[in-house]
Each structure stands twice: as C-alpha cells, then as structure tokens.
Amino acid sequence: MKAGMEVKTAEEAVQWVHSLLPFGIKPGLKRMEWMLEALGHPEQRLTAVHVAGTNGKGSTVSFLRHILTADGFSVGTFTSPYIEQFSERISVNGVPISDHDLLQAAKRLKPIVEEVAQSDLGSPTEFEVLTAMMFYHFAEVAKPDICLIEVGLGGRLDSTNVVMPILSIITMIGHDHMHILGDTLTEIAYEKAGIIKPGVPVISGVEGEEAYTVISETARQIGSPLHQLNETFFVESLQGRTFTYKEERGEEAVRYQAGLYGAHQHKNAALALKAVSLLSNSLKRQVGKEAKETGIANTSWPGRFEIIQVNPPIVLDGAHNEEGFLALTTALQERFSDKNIYVLLASTKEKDMNVLLKSFTTSGLEVAFSFTSFDFHRAANAEDLFNQAPVKRKQVAADWQKALKTMMENLGEQDVLVVTGSLYFISAVRQSLASYKEGM
C-alpha cells in the first residue's frame, strides 16, 4: 500500500502491517520511541507484566491470564506468533481485537509510520508497528485492568522493552535465535535480562548456572527483587497433569491439575502462581484459591502439545529449539511410549536437526520422521532437513498438505501423529486441518 493511501478495511490493515515484513529485524528502540511519543505515550498508561524467555512465554501468559480472568479481572495479552488469526496477537480476555478496532489502530499509526520512514531511522518493522498498535489499543480503547506483554525476540532491544512493568518474568533460557542473540547461554541471558527494570520484581524460571548467574547478577546490580523457581518458591511434578506448588519453603504444598500437558508446563504454571501472589498489592486484592485452581485447570494454548484428535491421537507441538524438542520427547515418553510415532516436521533455515533431534535418538521411542517444507520466507528445504537428521527412519515429503492427509488417513489404533518444528508451520497446519474437516 502506497504512502498517503488510507486503509479502509481490517483486511487492508493486516496487509499493510505485513507489507513491512521486508524491513525485517532492526535492533534498537528509537523508532518505537518516536511512534509512542507521537501517540502520547500510551505505554505509560498501562499496568503491565513483561514476559521474556526462550520457551514458555506464551504458556505462562496463558496460565496467568486464565487465573486473573477467573477472578474477574479484564486482561489484555500481546503474544506472538499467531496460530489461527492475525488479530489474536492483541486480545482481551482471550478475545482477539475486533476488525473495527484493528482498522482504527492502523489508521492512527499509518501516518506516523510513514513519517518515521522518511527519517534517518528508516521504516519501522512489522513487529514494531504491531507493538505500537497494541499499546494504543490497550491504553485508548480496551483499557484492561492489566496487560500481559510477551517479548517478541530477546528482550533488551525488543520493541516491547519501552514499557515500565510492575512485574517482569523470565521463563527459561535456552538455545534459540542464536544467529541474533549470541552463541552462548551467557550472551542470550544478557539479552533476556534486558527487561529487568530497577526496583521492579522479577520472577525467574531459568535453569543452569550460566544463565542464572546473569539474571541474578543483573537483578542485584539494579535493585530488583529476584524470585527464583525452586529457590524461593517451589514446584513438583506428579503424575500426568498434576503438580504441587509451594509459595515458600516450609509451607504446605497445594495440589493443582494443569490444563496443559508436560512437566515443563508445571514450571510455567508455578511462575504464573507466583506472579499472582506478587500482583496482589497492585491489583488491590488477593486472587482467590478457587480462581487459581480453575484458571490453571482451564488453561489452553494452541500448538503446545495440543491433542487435536484423541483416537488415534494427533498432536500439534510448536517445538522449534533444543529445549522445546526435549520437552516434546519427554511428553511423548510419558504419554505415548507404547505407540508407533509418526512425525511430520518443517522448520526454519537457521535450525540444526542434529541438535534439535538429539533427544529422540536416545529416547527409546519408535519414531518415523517425514521432513517437509512450507510457504514461509524463512522455511528450510525439506531435503536439507532430511540430510541433517540423525535418525534412522526418515523420508522427504515434498508436499506437506498431501503428506498430512495421507498420514492422517493411514493412522492405526497403535499410532500417533505429531506435527512439529515451527509455530509458523503449526499455524499453517491448523488452518489446513480446519478446511479438511469442513470438507469431510
């Protein structure tokens, strides 16, 4: 869409935002600061929780949102990437921004974006504009009681890091986006730690001395109270979806049933429970026991070990890095160790299958892999994935849609189909499955 032309529909608004994708990733906050100043600094009028981490951001946000809404709060969420529809990235109480409000936010931003583009800073990126739209919508239109804002990439230079939250959460730190964030966990942790603000409490679920040292030292240096999982509050996984949580050492553990499957999700739920406790002063009331139990039990998050068909099972999982594939392998061992597992996998170019599939090579699971590609500007070639993969049973599937249809139709009672490798791929698969089921 040309400069100066007005967006007239929600569809045109989405097309305009997507048209900024070629500008890619531009570290730095100067373009954000320009846009937000032109908008009257809506980010300063929000009560916000800022969430960073390699894995677990979306799940932690979802646990926290479900608990707070169960207690009657209105909760804005900003998440990425989208799974079903673009507008879900900006939601209130789980309801995506309306077409009308999306259009109004785009109309408000477009002349500002074009002004910035004419400056020495160059055009804002797609994510920067979406972030500015989110701040505008939450502050000027929706006005939720609290906003849960997920970092897009890293933390220190992420577009969202212009907000001054009342609480920061760093879920975990692992190996992802290393071509941007750094080659070591220390470097990656430094970027994530960039969301920690002076005097603002930070909840950490990080594991491993390398990452923990960076987080704890950053918090100490700038005077931010640090609440570390399994040091100051505690979680223990029991069988299946059940776990126990202790607010502090020595108190009686409380049992919860999680809506999301996998022991890694119990840790994310614990981060959300600790956040609720720390938010009680800002929200001016304690969240009730029933709201916590209901919220944890009702939490769902598309593409996170999501069982979309029970018999025979079909699982969608957005694993896309070493830690994500380890969590997926563990969940499959716990749930489907007696099954024949068929995996349809597509990934982005920067991933190394030798690293990602390492956990499967020692799992003892019966797994057959089909490597494919999909329509995405960073999608890896299927044959490249096949050649990299350190697994014995593997093949190339040139057309993922045909492969998915064939695999679904051939599933037997002792089989499980897992679709994984990228959240962007999962998004495409969900849309395809919806069309497939409508045509049945």
Side-chain angles (χ1 to χ4, degrees):
M1 181 174 289
K2 293 181 181 179
M5 289 181 63
E6 184 181 5
V7 288
K8 296 180 180 178
T9 66
E11 185 179 357
E12 286 184 357
V14 174
Q15 289 173 352
W16 169 65
V17 175
H18 282 328
S19 74
L20 301 166
L21 183 62
F23 297 104
I25 297 168
K26 295 180 178 178
L29 300 174
K30 291 188 181 299
R31 289 173 301 279
M32 281 302 303
E33 290 164 353
W34 180 318
M35 289 189 290
L36 293 173
E37 184 173 352
L39 290 170
H41 286 290
E43 82 285 2
Q44 295 178 2
R45 301 196 294 278
L46 302 180
T47 301
V49 176
H50 203 190
V51 185
T54 305
N55 293 40
K57 297 188 297 294
S59 298
T60 300
V61 165
S62 191
F63 277 120
L64 186 49
R65 191 259 291 178
H66 279 82
I67 294 170
L68 293 172
T69 53
D71 208 62
F73 292 99
S74 63
V75 184
T77 54
F78 182 59
T79 56
S80 59
Y82 68 91
I83 300 297
E84 293 180 324
Q85 55 180 318
F86 177 85
S87 56
E88 74 191 43
R89 298 175 75 165
I90 303 173
S91 297
V92 176
N93 294 346
V95 179
I97 184 173
S98 69
D99 285 353
H100 174 271
D101 290 340
L102 180 63
L103 176 58
Q104 295 310 306
K107 283 183 174 181
R108 183 72 178 89
L109 261 296
K110 191 168 185 287
I112 298 172
V113 170
E114 290 169 355
E115 185 181 353
V116 179
Q118 295 302 312
S119 75
D120 292 340
L121 296 174
S123 175
T125 66
E126 178 186 31
F127 189 71
E128 287 173 336
V129 172
L130 185 61
T131 303
M133 290 170 66
M134 173 270 295
F135 284 133
Y136 169 80
H137 177 68
F138 285 160
E140 299 289 345
V141 181
K143 300 179 181 178
D145 296 322
I146 190 165
C147 300
L148 312 180
I149 299 174
E150 182 185 314
V151 165
L153 176 65
R156 182 174 63 94
L157 298 176
D158 186 74
S159 308
T160 61
N161 204 28
V162 291
V163 73
M164 178 56 74
I166 58 172
L167 176 66
S168 303
I169 302 175
I170 301 176
T171 57
M172 61 85 67
I173 291 170
H175 302 83
D176 202 12
H177 301 294
M178 298 171 72
H179 59 301
I180 298 171
L181 301 180
D183 295 328
T184 67
L185 288 179
T186 296
E187 291 174 311
I188 296 171
Y190 170 73
E191 296 298 329
K192 309 290 185 187
I195 73 162
I196 302 174
K197 304 296 191 302
V200 176
V202 56
I203 298 173
S204 165
V206 302
E207 298 175 343
E209 185 176 351
E210 200 173 340
Y212 172 74
T213 299
V214 175
I215 300 302
S216 59
E217 186 61 20
T218 301
R220 186 191 65 79
Q221 287 177 355
I222 63 177
S224 298
L226 175 63
H227 303 269
Q228 174 63 41
L229 180 63
N230 290 329
E231 282 191 13
T232 58
F233 64 105
F234 305 86
V235 66
E236 182 180 357
S237 293
L238 303 179
Q239 190 170 11
R241 298 173 191 239
T242 307
F243 69 95
T244 61
Y245 172 78
K246 288 198 293 187
E247 186 69 37
E248 56 187 47
R249 194 183 301 276
E251 76 169 17
E252 187 176 348
V254 179
R255 184 178 293 233
Y256 289 95
Q257 187 84 3
L260 296 175
Y261 193 86
H264 60 292
Q265 295 293 4
H266 302 160
K267 297 174 185 177
N268 296 329
L271 300 179
L273 288 165
K274 184 61 178 179
V276 166
S277 175
L278 294 178
L279 290 170
S280 59
N281 287 337
S282 298
L283 298 175
K284 298 182 171 57
R285 74 168 190 256
Q286 293 279 351
V287 172
K289 178 176 179 289
E290 185 176 338
K292 293 177 185 177
E293 292 175 349
T294 301
I296 293 292
N298 289 346
T299 296
S300 61
W301 196 234
R304 277 68 171 185
F305 207 82
E306 179 186 13
I307 301 175
I308 61 167
Q309 179 176 295
V310 175
N311 190 24
I314 298 177
V315 180
L316 303 185
D317 192 274
H320 56 279
N321 54 36
E322 182 179 351
E323 290 76 14
F325 271 92
L326 176 59
L328 172 59
T329 306
T330 302
L332 289 171
Q333 286 173 319
E334 292 175 355
R335 190 75 181 265
F336 299 122
S337 61
D338 59 337
K339 301 283 188 180
N340 303 311
I341 301 170
Y342 296 89
V343 176
L344 181 63
L345 190 155
S347 181
T348 50
K349 291 178 181 177
E350 69 277 4
K351 307 300 182 181
D352 183 346
M353 289 299 108
N354 277 299
V355 175
L356 265 58
L357 299 184
K358 183 179 178 182
S359 57
F360 275 100
T361 63
T362 57
S363 67
L365 296 170
E366 288 292 325
V367 189
F369 288 85
S370 295
F371 295 97
T372 190
S373 189
F374 64 115
D375 186 15
F376 184 61
H377 68 286
R378 290 195 353 254
N381 179 277
E383 291 189 1
D384 290 343
L385 299 179
F386 172 87
N387 291 331
Q388 286 181 8
V391 293
K392 295 179 181 178
R393 298 175 63 193
K394 59 181 178 177
Q395 65 180 14
V396 172
D399 185 323
W400 71 262
Q401 290 175 305
K402 287 182 180 178
L404 177 63
K405 185 173 183 291
T406 301
M407 294 170 86
M408 289 175 63
E409 291 172 348
N410 291 334
L411 281 181
E413 290 185 3
Q414 288 302 308
D415 300 334
V416 180
L417 172 58
V418 180
V419 184
T420 189
S422 165
L423 282 168
Y424 297 102
F425 181 46
I426 294 301
S427 176
V429 169
R430 283 180 67 93
Q431 294 171 41
S432 177
L433 287 174
S435 301
Y436 175 72
K437 288 178 180 179
E438 286 175 7
M440 291 178 68

